[in-house]
Amino acid sequence: MIVQPTDNVETGWTNKAEIFRAEDLEGNDMSDNDIDSQYDDDPNNDIGGTPDTPEDNMVTDDGKDGDGDGVTDEDDEDPVE
């Protein structure tokens, strides 16, 4: 992690983490079971997840706005401020 100086203590930092694989308790790959994410190790190709917006932590969509609510969030990389 690289922490950069900021004067804005409320929104000056954004913490990001990328989920690249999911396993069950027995170690079986469960990555294809997530309906709104395509797991990979690229933190720059995930739409949605803008902190403190309706798309932040949206888990009921398919990552492509399949329900037409205007919210798009691929959940394998969600930043937090």
Side-chain angles (χ1 to χ4, degrees):
M1 176 189 310
I2 299 172
V3 178
Q4 303 202 358
T6 183
D7 292 331
N8 186 345
V9 295
E10 291 189 29
T11 61
W13 293 284
T14 302
N15 184 17
K16 291 185 172 188
E18 177 80 9
I19 299 171
F20 68 93
R21 182 176 169 90
E23 296 179 349
D24 66 11
L25 294 174
E26 296 164 354
N28 298 308
D29 187 356
M30 304 298 288
S31 301
D32 291 335
N33 292 4
D34 191 335
I35 63 167
D36 68 348
S37 296
Q38 296 296 314
Y39 294 162
D40 57 36
D41 60 358
D42 182 353
N44 299 310
N45 68 347
D46 303 309
I47 56 175
T50 305
D52 301 321
T53 67
E55 66 188 26
D56 187 22
N57 296 324
M58 174 61 71
V59 296
T60 58
D61 204 49
D62 62 0
K64 300 176 182 88
D65 194 23
D67 61 5
D69 65 358
V71 177
T72 311
D73 186 19
E74 187 177 338
D75 286 324
D76 63 311
E77 187 268 331
D78 263 349
V80 65
E81 290 184 336

